Structures are given as structure tokens and as C-alpha cells.
Amino acid sequence: MNTRTRVLTGTALAVALGAGAFGAVSASATPAADAAPAAAVAGKKDGASDKNFTTTTHLTVDAATRAAQAALQAAQAENQKVTVAVVDRNGNTIVTLRGDGAGPQSYESAQRKAFTAVSWNAPTSVLVGRLAQTPNLKDIPGTLFLGGGTPVQANGAPVAGIGVAGAPSGDLDEKFAKAGVDALGK
């Protein structure tokens, strides 16, 4: 082996050993020491809750999946090819199930219906009626004012939305979305 090869090999070995030692030291650091300052800032003071934070309710992935599957099964029982989307309170998609044979437009439509339902805490079929008084509602990005979206509520507050798209009518889409909401009560 020439000198250059030995130097490069030795340097690579030293770097590998140094990285391993650094990793071992980092892995053995006590998390309590790191977590204490964050807890003091974001935690409770003298047993009282901090007024700067709120607690919210969210669907679990399992619950969202169960609701989506129930909606999809309700549609399949009536030979409808649909897509089902479940979004959280902030409109972020938790789960989307595209049924066999569902049209390509149904994916985005289901997500937008779910987003619209949770945003206004109302079924999208009800919101369609509001367009007569306020037609520019439809201009809000991400919304879709067609039947097929239903909010999921906890203690009267919206925590998620279920949107269904692909059936021949918004009434059917909404019926299937409600089957998803009903599945959460079981």
C-alpha cells in the first residue's frame, strides 16, 4: 500500500471511530436534563394551567380509517364507486381511500368536501344553500360546495371532516359520509 492510501485509510478509520464515539456520548445523554427547560417554559406554573396553550381533540389514524372504510362500504353496498377522504380540524388529510373504479376527479373532490365541512362545521349540502346569500364563498381556496361532506364533532365542536365523491349525486355522497361519522359512534 502506498503512503497516500495508508493516510486516507487511517483518516477514514479515525473519522468512523470518532463518529461512533460521538454517537455513543449523544445516545447516553440524559433526556431529563434537556426536557426540563422546555417543561418550565411550556408547562404549568405553580399547578395552574398556562393560558398560552389550549388542548384540542383529534381523531386517531385508526378512527379516521374506520370511518373511511365504513363510508366506502356503504357506497359499495349500493354499487357506487367513490373516494372517501377524512381530514383533521386543520383540513390536513388523515386518510383517503379510493374505491375500485372511482373516477380521477373524485380524489380531490372528496378532500375538498371534507375540508369544507370541517371548516364551517356543517354538511356541505347545507353550505350549498349559503352560496345564494354569499356567492363568493366558493372562491375560498380548497373548498367545494357540493353535497358529500360532513363534519365530525366532539362536544359540538368540529374535529374532522369526511368527504365522499363519485356517486351520481351529492345526496348519495353525503349519505355515505354520514355512514362514516356513524361508525365513529360505535
Side-chain angles (χ1 to χ4, degrees):
M1 232 194 300
N2 67 28
T3 305
R4 180 179 171 158
T5 304
R6 278 187 265 161
V7 170
L8 288 174
T9 303
T11 303
L13 182 59
V15 169
L17 288 173
F22 177 75
V25 171
S26 296
S28 67
T30 42
D34 295 338
V41 173
K44 297 179 180 181
K45 300 174 186 174
D46 300 324
S49 65
D50 189 335
K51 303 291 184 212
N52 294 318
F53 298 93
T54 62
T55 302
T56 59
T57 302
H58 297 275
L59 282 183
T60 64
V61 171
D62 288 339
T65 302
R66 191 171 63 247
Q69 287 174 331
L72 187 60
Q73 288 170 354
Q76 289 171 337
E78 295 191 26
N79 296 318
Q80 298 301 317
K81 300 171 186 335
V82 301
T83 297
V84 181
V86 181
V87 301
D88 67 12
R89 175 61 184 114
N90 299 317
N92 300 311
T93 303
I94 301 171
V95 64
T96 302
L97 297 178
R98 183 168 177 226
D100 294 337
Q105 80 290 353
S106 65
Y107 191 88
E108 183 179 348
S109 298
Q111 289 178 325
R112 290 175 60 190
K113 288 177 182 184
F115 175 83
T116 305
V118 74
S119 296
W120 277 273
N121 192 23
T124 53
S125 61
V126 171
L127 297 172
V128 170
R130 294 184 189 173
L131 286 177
Q133 295 93 6
T134 316
N136 60 343
L137 278 179
K138 68 180 180 333
D139 297 333
I140 297 173
T143 60
L144 185 60
F145 292 89
L146 296 173
T150 304
V152 177
Q153 299 177 346
N155 299 321
V159 296
I162 299 176
V164 177
S169 74
D171 292 342
L172 281 174
D173 284 339
E174 196 161 304
K175 174 183 172 182
F176 306 142
K178 287 179 184 174
V181 173
D182 292 345
L184 294 172
K186 296 177 182 175

Short mmCIF file of all heavy atoms in Angstrom, two decimals, residues 89-144:
data_model
loop_
_atom_site.label_atom_id
_atom_site.label_comp_id
_atom_site.label_asym_id
_atom_site.label_seq_id
_atom_site.Cartn_x
_atom_site.Cartn_y
_atom_site.Cartn_z
N ARG A 89 -59.05 18.73 11.98
CA ARG A 89 -59.65 20.05 12.23
C ARG A 89 -58.99 21.15 11.40
O ARG A 89 -59.60 22.14 11.04
CB ARG A 89 -59.56 20.38 13.73
CG ARG A 89 -60.04 21.78 14.09
CD ARG A 89 -61.51 21.93 13.71
NE ARG A 89 -61.98 23.28 13.94
CZ ARG A 89 -62.36 24.12 12.99
NH1 ARG A 89 -62.29 23.78 11.72
NH2 ARG A 89 -62.83 25.30 13.29
N ASN A 90 -57.72 20.97 11.08
CA ASN A 90 -56.99 21.98 10.31
C ASN A 90 -57.08 21.75 8.80
O ASN A 90 -56.46 22.46 8.04
CB ASN A 90 -55.53 21.99 10.74
CG ASN A 90 -55.40 22.34 12.20
OD1 ASN A 90 -56.06 23.24 12.69
ND2 ASN A 90 -54.56 21.62 12.91
N GLY A 91 -57.85 20.74 8.40
CA GLY A 91 -58.01 20.46 6.97
C GLY A 91 -56.92 19.59 6.39
O GLY A 91 -56.88 19.37 5.17
N ASN A 92 -56.04 19.06 7.22
CA ASN A 92 -54.98 18.17 6.74
C ASN A 92 -55.53 16.76 6.57
O ASN A 92 -56.23 16.26 7.45
CB ASN A 92 -53.82 18.15 7.73
CG ASN A 92 -53.21 19.52 7.91
OD1 ASN A 92 -52.90 20.20 6.94
ND2 ASN A 92 -53.06 19.93 9.15
N THR A 93 -55.22 16.14 5.48
CA THR A 93 -55.73 14.80 5.19
C THR A 93 -55.13 13.78 6.15
O THR A 93 -53.91 13.71 6.29
CB THR A 93 -55.43 14.41 3.74
OG1 THR A 93 -55.99 15.38 2.87
CG2 THR A 93 -56.00 13.04 3.42
N ILE A 94 -56.00 13.01 6.79
CA ILE A 94 -55.57 11.92 7.66
C ILE A 94 -55.52 10.64 6.84
O ILE A 94 -54.55 9.90 6.88
CB ILE A 94 -56.53 11.74 8.85
CG1 ILE A 94 -56.61 13.02 9.68
CG2 ILE A 94 -56.06 10.57 9.72
CD1 ILE A 94 -57.70 12.97 10.75
N VAL A 95 -56.60 10.37 6.09
CA VAL A 95 -56.65 9.14 5.28
C VAL A 95 -57.55 9.40 4.07
O VAL A 95 -58.52 10.15 4.16
CB VAL A 95 -57.16 7.94 6.11
CG1 VAL A 95 -58.58 8.13 6.56
CG2 VAL A 95 -57.03 6.64 5.34
N THR A 96 -57.20 8.79 2.96
CA THR A 96 -58.04 8.81 1.76
C THR A 96 -58.09 7.40 1.21
O THR A 96 -57.06 6.75 1.06
CB THR A 96 -57.47 9.76 0.68
OG1 THR A 96 -57.35 11.07 1.23
CG2 THR A 96 -58.38 9.82 -0.53
N LEU A 97 -59.30 6.94 0.93
CA LEU A 97 -59.49 5.62 0.32
C LEU A 97 -60.18 5.82 -1.02
O LEU A 97 -61.28 6.37 -1.08
CB LEU A 97 -60.36 4.73 1.21
CG LEU A 97 -59.81 4.37 2.58
CD1 LEU A 97 -60.81 3.52 3.35
CD2 LEU A 97 -58.48 3.65 2.46
N ARG A 98 -59.54 5.37 -2.07
CA ARG A 98 -60.13 5.46 -3.40
C ARG A 98 -60.67 4.09 -3.74
O ARG A 98 -59.91 3.12 -3.87
CB ARG A 98 -59.09 5.90 -4.42
CG ARG A 98 -59.68 6.08 -5.78
CD ARG A 98 -58.72 6.78 -6.70
NE ARG A 98 -59.33 6.87 -8.00
CZ ARG A 98 -58.69 6.57 -9.12
NH1 ARG A 98 -57.44 6.23 -9.10
NH2 ARG A 98 -59.32 6.66 -10.26
N GLY A 99 -61.99 4.01 -3.87
CA GLY A 99 -62.63 2.74 -4.18
C GLY A 99 -62.31 2.28 -5.59
O GLY A 99 -61.95 3.08 -6.47
N ASP A 100 -62.43 0.99 -5.80
CA ASP A 100 -62.19 0.42 -7.13
C ASP A 100 -63.12 1.10 -8.14
O ASP A 100 -64.32 1.18 -7.93
CB ASP A 100 -62.46 -1.08 -7.13
CG ASP A 100 -61.47 -1.84 -6.26
OD1 ASP A 100 -60.36 -1.32 -6.02
OD2 ASP A 100 -61.82 -2.95 -5.81
N GLY A 101 -62.54 1.60 -9.21
CA GLY A 101 -63.31 2.19 -10.29
C GLY A 101 -63.74 3.63 -10.06
O GLY A 101 -64.43 4.20 -10.90
N ALA A 102 -63.34 4.25 -8.94
CA ALA A 102 -63.71 5.66 -8.69
C ALA A 102 -63.02 6.55 -9.72
O ALA A 102 -61.86 6.30 -10.10
CB ALA A 102 -63.32 6.06 -7.28
N GLY A 103 -63.72 7.56 -10.17
CA GLY A 103 -63.18 8.47 -11.17
C GLY A 103 -62.01 9.28 -10.67
O GLY A 103 -61.86 9.50 -9.47
N PRO A 104 -61.17 9.76 -11.58
CA PRO A 104 -59.97 10.50 -11.18
C PRO A 104 -60.29 11.83 -10.48
O PRO A 104 -59.52 12.29 -9.66
CB PRO A 104 -59.23 10.73 -12.50
CG PRO A 104 -60.27 10.57 -13.56
CD PRO A 104 -61.28 9.61 -13.02
N GLN A 105 -61.43 12.42 -10.78
CA GLN A 105 -61.80 13.68 -10.14
C GLN A 105 -62.24 13.49 -8.70
O GLN A 105 -62.26 14.43 -7.91
CB GLN A 105 -62.92 14.37 -10.93
CG GLN A 105 -64.33 13.82 -10.68
CD GLN A 105 -64.60 12.41 -11.22
OE1 GLN A 105 -63.81 11.82 -11.94
NE2 GLN A 105 -65.75 11.85 -10.87
N SER A 106 -62.60 12.26 -8.33
CA SER A 106 -63.18 12.02 -7.01
C SER A 106 -62.18 12.18 -5.88
O SER A 106 -62.55 12.55 -4.77
CB SER A 106 -63.81 10.62 -6.95
OG SER A 106 -62.84 9.61 -7.09
N TYR A 107 -60.91 11.97 -6.13
CA TYR A 107 -59.89 12.06 -5.09
C TYR A 107 -59.83 13.47 -4.51
O TYR A 107 -60.00 13.67 -3.31
CB TYR A 107 -58.54 11.63 -5.66
CG TYR A 107 -57.46 11.42 -4.62
CD1 TYR A 107 -57.30 10.19 -4.01
CD2 TYR A 107 -56.61 12.45 -4.26
CE1 TYR A 107 -56.32 9.99 -3.05
CE2 TYR A 107 -55.63 12.26 -3.30
CZ TYR A 107 -55.49 11.03 -2.70
OH TYR A 107 -54.51 10.84 -1.76
N GLU A 108 -59.60 14.44 -5.37
CA GLU A 108 -59.51 15.84 -4.91
C GLU A 108 -60.86 16.35 -4.43
O GLU A 108 -60.94 17.07 -3.44
CB GLU A 108 -58.98 16.74 -6.01
CG GLU A 108 -58.82 18.18 -5.55
CD GLU A 108 -58.26 19.10 -6.62
OE1 GLU A 108 -57.78 18.62 -7.66
OE2 GLU A 108 -58.31 20.33 -6.40
N SER A 109 -61.93 15.95 -5.10
CA SER A 109 -63.27 16.40 -4.68
C SER A 109 -63.60 15.93 -3.28
O SER A 109 -64.15 16.70 -2.47
CB SER A 109 -64.33 15.89 -5.66
OG SER A 109 -64.12 16.41 -6.95
N ALA A 110 -63.28 14.70 -2.94
CA ALA A 110 -63.56 14.18 -1.60
C ALA A 110 -62.77 14.96 -0.55
O ALA A 110 -63.32 15.33 0.50
CB ALA A 110 -63.21 12.69 -1.53
N GLN A 111 -61.52 15.25 -0.83
CA GLN A 111 -60.72 16.01 0.13
C GLN A 111 -61.27 17.43 0.31
O GLN A 111 -61.36 17.92 1.43
CB GLN A 111 -59.26 16.08 -0.34
CG GLN A 111 -58.55 14.76 -0.22
CD GLN A 111 -57.12 14.81 -0.71
OE1 GLN A 111 -56.81 15.52 -1.66
NE2 GLN A 111 -56.26 14.04 -0.08
N ARG A 112 -61.66 18.07 -0.77
CA ARG A 112 -62.18 19.43 -0.67
C ARG A 112 -63.54 19.48 0.03
O ARG A 112 -63.83 20.41 0.77
CB ARG A 112 -62.24 20.04 -2.07
CG ARG A 112 -60.83 20.32 -2.62
CD ARG A 112 -60.81 20.81 -4.03
NE ARG A 112 -61.56 22.06 -4.15
CZ ARG A 112 -61.86 22.61 -5.30
NH1 ARG A 112 -61.51 22.04 -6.44
NH2 ARG A 112 -62.54 23.74 -5.34
N LYS A 113 -64.37 18.45 -0.17
CA LYS A 113 -65.65 18.40 0.53
C LYS A 113 -65.42 18.23 2.03
O LYS A 113 -66.08 18.86 2.85
CB LYS A 113 -66.52 17.26 0.00
CG LYS A 113 -67.08 17.50 -1.39
CD LYS A 113 -67.88 16.29 -1.86
CE LYS A 113 -68.43 16.45 -3.25
NZ LYS A 113 -69.28 15.29 -3.64
N ALA A 114 -64.48 17.35 2.40
CA ALA A 114 -64.17 17.15 3.81
C ALA A 114 -63.63 18.43 4.44
O ALA A 114 -64.05 18.83 5.54
CB ALA A 114 -63.15 16.01 3.97
N PHE A 115 -62.75 19.11 3.73
CA PHE A 115 -62.19 20.37 4.19
C PHE A 115 -63.28 21.42 4.39
O PHE A 115 -63.31 22.13 5.40
CB PHE A 115 -61.14 20.88 3.17
CG PHE A 115 -60.59 22.24 3.48
CD1 PHE A 115 -59.55 22.39 4.37
CD2 PHE A 115 -61.11 23.38 2.87
CE1 PHE A 115 -59.03 23.64 4.66
CE2 PHE A 115 -60.60 24.64 3.15
CZ PHE A 115 -59.55 24.77 4.04
N THR A 116 -64.19 21.51 3.45
CA THR A 116 -65.28 22.49 3.53
C THR A 116 -66.19 22.19 4.72
O THR A 116 -66.57 23.09 5.47
CB THR A 116 -66.09 22.50 2.21
OG1 THR A 116 -65.18 22.73 1.12
CG2 THR A 116 -67.17 23.56 2.21
N ALA A 117 -66.53 20.92 4.92
CA ALA A 117 -67.42 20.54 6.02
C ALA A 117 -66.80 20.87 7.37
O ALA A 117 -67.47 21.41 8.26
CB ALA A 117 -67.75 19.06 5.93
N VAL A 118 -65.52 20.56 7.57
CA VAL A 118 -64.90 20.84 8.87
C VAL A 118 -64.66 22.34 9.05
O VAL A 118 -64.75 22.85 10.17
CB VAL A 118 -63.60 20.03 9.06
CG1 VAL A 118 -62.45 20.57 8.24
CG2 VAL A 118 -63.21 19.98 10.54
N SER A 119 -64.40 23.05 7.98
CA SER A 119 -64.15 24.49 8.08
C SER A 119 -65.38 25.25 8.59
O SER A 119 -65.24 26.20 9.36
CB SER A 119 -63.73 25.06 6.72
OG SER A 119 -62.50 24.50 6.32
N TRP A 120 -66.56 24.84 8.14
CA TRP A 120 -67.80 25.54 8.55
C TRP A 120 -68.63 24.72 9.55
O TRP A 120 -69.72 25.15 9.92
CB TRP A 120 -68.63 25.89 7.32
CG TRP A 120 -68.16 27.16 6.70
CD1 TRP A 120 -68.54 28.43 7.02
CD2 TRP A 120 -67.21 27.29 5.65
NE1 TRP A 120 -67.87 29.33 6.25
CE2 TRP A 120 -67.05 28.66 5.39
CE3 TRP A 120 -66.47 26.38 4.89
CZ2 TRP A 120 -66.19 29.14 4.43
CZ3 TRP A 120 -65.61 26.87 3.94
CH2 TRP A 120 -65.48 28.23 3.71
N ASN A 121 -68.15 23.56 9.95
CA ASN A 121 -68.86 22.71 10.90
C ASN A 121 -70.30 22.47 10.46
O ASN A 121 -71.23 22.56 11.25
CB ASN A 121 -68.82 23.31 12.31
CG ASN A 121 -69.27 22.33 13.37
OD1 ASN A 121 -69.23 21.12 13.18
ND2 ASN A 121 -69.74 22.85 14.49
N ALA A 122 -70.45 22.17 9.19
CA ALA A 122 -71.78 21.92 8.63
C ALA A 122 -71.65 20.99 7.43
O ALA A 122 -70.63 21.00 6.74
CB ALA A 122 -72.43 23.23 8.20
N PRO A 123 -72.69 20.20 7.18
CA PRO A 123 -72.68 19.39 5.96
C PRO A 123 -72.60 20.29 4.73
O PRO A 123 -73.17 21.39 4.70
CB PRO A 123 -74.02 18.65 6.00
CG PRO A 123 -74.44 18.70 7.43
CD PRO A 123 -73.89 19.98 7.97
N THR A 124 -71.90 19.83 3.71
CA THR A 124 -71.74 20.67 2.52
C THR A 124 -73.06 20.90 1.80
O THR A 124 -73.22 21.91 1.12
CB THR A 124 -70.69 20.07 1.57
OG1 THR A 124 -71.03 18.71 1.29
CG2 THR A 124 -69.30 20.15 2.16
N SER A 125 -74.03 20.00 1.97
CA SER A 125 -75.34 20.24 1.33
C SER A 125 -76.01 21.47 1.94
O SER A 125 -76.70 22.21 1.24
CB SER A 125 -76.25 19.01 1.50
OG SER A 125 -76.48 18.75 2.87
N VAL A 126 -75.80 21.71 3.22
CA VAL A 126 -76.34 22.91 3.88
C VAL A 126 -75.60 24.14 3.39
O VAL A 126 -76.20 25.20 3.15
CB VAL A 126 -76.22 22.78 5.42
CG1 VAL A 126 -76.56 24.09 6.11
CG2 VAL A 126 -77.09 21.65 5.93
N LEU A 127 -74.30 24.00 3.22
CA LEU A 127 -73.48 25.13 2.79
C LEU A 127 -73.79 25.57 1.36
O LEU A 127 -73.63 26.74 1.02
CB LEU A 127 -72.00 24.78 2.93
CG LEU A 127 -71.56 24.50 4.37
CD1 LEU A 127 -70.14 23.96 4.39
CD2 LEU A 127 -71.68 25.75 5.22
N VAL A 128 -74.26 24.64 0.52
CA VAL A 128 -74.63 24.98 -0.85
C VAL A 128 -75.70 26.07 -0.83
O VAL A 128 -75.66 27.03 -1.62
CB VAL A 128 -75.14 23.73 -1.61
CG1 VAL A 128 -75.76 24.10 -2.94
CG2 VAL A 128 -73.99 22.76 -1.83
N GLY A 129 -76.64 25.98 0.11
CA GLY A 129 -77.68 26.99 0.24
C GLY A 129 -77.15 28.36 0.62
O GLY A 129 -77.74 29.38 0.26
N ARG A 130 -76.04 28.41 1.33
CA ARG A 130 -75.46 29.69 1.73
C ARG A 130 -74.84 30.45 0.56
O ARG A 130 -74.61 31.66 0.65
CB ARG A 130 -74.41 29.48 2.82
CG ARG A 130 -75.02 28.96 4.11
CD ARG A 130 -73.97 28.85 5.18
NE ARG A 130 -74.50 28.15 6.34
CZ ARG A 130 -73.79 27.79 7.38
NH1 ARG A 130 -72.49 28.05 7.42
NH2 ARG A 130 -74.34 27.16 8.39
N LEU A 131 -74.57 29.75 -0.53
CA LEU A 131 -73.97 30.41 -1.70
C LEU A 131 -74.92 31.44 -2.30
O LEU A 131 -74.47 32.41 -2.91
CB LEU A 131 -73.57 29.39 -2.76
CG LEU A 131 -72.34 28.55 -2.45
CD1 LEU A 131 -72.10 27.54 -3.56
CD2 LEU A 131 -71.12 29.41 -2.25
N ALA A 132 -76.22 31.24 -2.13
CA ALA A 132 -77.19 32.20 -2.67
C ALA A 132 -77.00 33.57 -2.02
O ALA A 132 -77.06 34.60 -2.70
CB ALA A 132 -78.61 31.69 -2.46
N GLN A 133 -76.75 33.58 -0.70
CA GLN A 133 -76.55 34.85 0.00
C GLN A 133 -75.12 35.37 -0.15
O GLN A 133 -74.90 36.57 -0.17
CB GLN A 133 -76.84 34.71 1.51
CG GLN A 133 -78.26 34.39 1.86
CD GLN A 133 -78.49 32.89 1.99
OE1 GLN A 133 -77.57 32.08 1.94
NE2 GLN A 133 -79.75 32.50 2.14
N THR A 134 -74.16 34.47 -0.24
CA THR A 134 -72.75 34.87 -0.31
C THR A 134 -72.05 34.06 -1.39
O THR A 134 -71.33 33.10 -1.10
CB THR A 134 -72.07 34.62 1.06
OG1 THR A 134 -72.93 35.06 2.10
CG2 THR A 134 -70.75 35.34 1.16
N PRO A 135 -72.24 34.43 -2.65
CA PRO A 135 -71.68 33.63 -3.74
C PRO A 135 -70.15 33.55 -3.75
O PRO A 135 -69.59 32.61 -4.29
CB PRO A 135 -72.21 34.30 -5.00
CG PRO A 135 -72.78 35.60 -4.59
CD PRO A 135 -72.99 35.57 -3.13
N ASN A 136 -69.48 34.53 -3.15
CA ASN A 136 -68.01 34.49 -3.18
C ASN A 136 -67.41 33.48 -2.21
O ASN A 136 -66.20 33.28 -2.19
CB ASN A 136 -67.42 35.88 -2.96
CG ASN A 136 -67.82 36.47 -1.63
OD1 ASN A 136 -68.77 36.02 -0.99
ND2 ASN A 136 -67.12 37.51 -1.21
N LEU A 137 -68.23 32.77 -1.41
CA LEU A 137 -67.72 31.70 -0.56
C LEU A 137 -66.98 30.65 -1.39
O LEU A 137 -65.99 30.10 -0.96
CB LEU A 137 -68.87 31.01 0.19
CG LEU A 137 -69.39 31.64 1.46
CD1 LEU A 137 -70.54 30.82 2.02
CD2 LEU A 137 -68.30 31.79 2.49
N LYS A 138 -67.49 30.41 -2.59
CA LYS A 138 -66.90 29.38 -3.44
C LYS A 138 -65.48 29.74 -3.90
O LYS A 138 -64.75 28.88 -4.37
CB LYS A 138 -67.79 29.10 -4.65
CG LYS A 138 -67.87 30.24 -5.65
CD LYS A 138 -68.77 29.88 -6.80
CE LYS A 138 -68.91 30.94 -7.84
NZ LYS A 138 -68.74 32.31 -7.50
N ASP A 139 -65.09 30.99 -3.69
CA ASP A 139 -63.76 31.43 -4.11
C ASP A 139 -62.68 31.14 -3.07
O ASP A 139 -61.50 31.35 -3.33
CB ASP A 139 -63.78 32.94 -4.41
CG ASP A 139 -64.70 33.28 -5.57
OD1 ASP A 139 -64.92 32.41 -6.43
OD2 ASP A 139 -65.22 34.41 -5.60
N ILE A 140 -63.07 30.66 -1.90
CA ILE A 140 -62.09 30.36 -0.87
C ILE A 140 -61.31 29.11 -1.29
O ILE A 140 -61.91 28.08 -1.60
CB ILE A 140 -62.78 30.15 0.49
CG1 ILE A 140 -63.45 31.45 0.92
CG2 ILE A 140 -61.78 29.68 1.55
CD1 ILE A 140 -64.30 31.33 2.16
N PRO A 141 -59.99 29.22 -1.33
CA PRO A 141 -59.17 28.08 -1.80
C PRO A 141 -59.42 26.80 -1.00
O PRO A 141 -59.56 26.83 0.22
CB PRO A 141 -57.73 28.57 -1.58
CG PRO A 141 -57.83 30.06 -1.56
CD PRO A 141 -59.17 30.36 -0.95
N GLY A 142 -59.47 25.69 -1.73
CA GLY A 142 -59.60 24.38 -1.11
C GLY A 142 -61.02 23.94 -0.82
O GLY A 142 -61.23 22.82 -0.39
N THR A 143 -61.99 24.81 -1.03
CA THR A 143 -63.37 24.47 -0.72
C THR A 143 -64.10 23.92 -1.93
O THR A 143 -63.71 24.16 -3.07
CB THR A 143 -64.15 25.69 -0.19
OG1 THR A 143 -64.13 26.72 -1.18
CG2 THR A 143 -63.53 26.22 1.09
N LEU A 144 -65.16 23.17 -1.65
CA LEU A 144 -66.03 22.66 -2.70
C LEU A 144 -67.43 22.56 -2.14
O LEU A 144 -67.69 21.80 -1.21
CB LEU A 144 -65.55 21.29 -3.20
CG LEU A 144 -66.31 20.70 -4.38
CD1 LEU A 144 -66.23 21.63 -5.61
CD2 LEU A 144 -65.76 19.33 -4.73
#
